[in-house]
Amino acid sequence: MKDTAHDLNATQKTEVVEGLHQALADLSVTTKKAQFFHWNVTGMSFGSLHALFEEIYNDHFAAQDEVAERIRALGAFTEGSYAEALDRTTVSEAKTVVSAEQMVEDMAVSQETISAALKELAEAATSNGDPLTEDLAIGRAQVHEKFAWILRAHLG
């Protein structure tokens, strides 16, 4: 597959990079939320949820780097502050300790939100002739859909 980063015009790059910034913001906020839940989960499902939240934040931390590097490959700079991420994201921030069930529900919604944004990014990448970003977005969307499914399975 040919790297099209140099083949995209400024308008095409801007649209794709905006979607990548959205993904980076969503991943950043959800990484922190997963850590918060990992640290604070209690109850009969402690062991499995503690491990699952850790798996999520480790995955999302690595994914942030992959998304940020794609932004750089397209010639743009990444946004770096948590305030920028919070301004951009559509994922809710975790601010208080809630029940394990509420944590699972909240994280499932976050995963579905990220997946939907990544699908939009994949469409933007496709329409702008950027198959590498399209591939990245589709792959990440699949990961988030799987996490959402696993989380929903905990709810019964």
Side-chain angles (χ1 to χ4, degrees):
M1 188 180 306
K2 181 180 155 189
D3 183 356
T4 56
H6 298 292
D7 297 335
L8 302 179
N9 66 39
T11 302
Q12 291 169 318
K13 282 184 184 183
T14 297
E15 186 174 348
V16 171
V17 167
E18 281 300 305
L20 286 163
H21 280 299
Q22 181 68 49
L24 186 57
D26 291 344
L27 283 163
S28 296
V29 172
T30 307
T31 300
K32 185 62 179 170
K33 180 189 294 193
Q35 286 180 310
F36 180 71
F37 289 169
H38 168 79
W39 295 327
N40 292 295
V41 68
T42 60
M44 293 298 294
S45 298
F46 169 80
S48 62
L49 291 178
H50 184 74
L52 178 57
F53 292 140
E54 182 176 14
E55 179 183 353
I56 291 170
Y57 76 69
N58 283 329
D59 170 83
H60 290 23
F61 185 80
Q64 289 176 71
D65 192 55
E66 189 176 10
V67 170
E69 288 177 353
R70 186 64 191 151
I71 292 168
R72 293 296 297 130
L74 290 168
F77 289 99
T78 64
E79 296 173 347
S81 77
Y82 200 63
E84 287 171 310
L86 287 171
D87 284 344
R88 183 182 287 274
T89 191
T90 56
V91 172
S92 66
E93 182 182 20
K95 296 180 180 180
T96 61
V97 175
V98 295
S99 71
E101 185 173 333
Q102 289 170 308
M103 289 177 181
V104 171
E105 175 65 31
D106 186 336
M107 187 58 68
V109 169
S110 296
Q111 296 302 316
E112 292 161 351
T113 300
I114 295 170
S115 182
L118 286 162
K119 289 174 190 174
E120 289 179 19
L121 171 58
E123 290 173 11
T126 299
S127 67
N128 285 294
D130 183 356
L132 295 180
T133 301
E134 176 189 14
D135 185 60
L136 170 64
I138 290 170
R140 287 303 316 164
Q142 290 172 332
V143 169
H144 297 287
E145 282 190 359
K146 184 175 180 181
F147 277 133
W149 163 65
I150 291 168
L151 289 155
R152 295 249 177 244
H154 277 82
L155 297 173

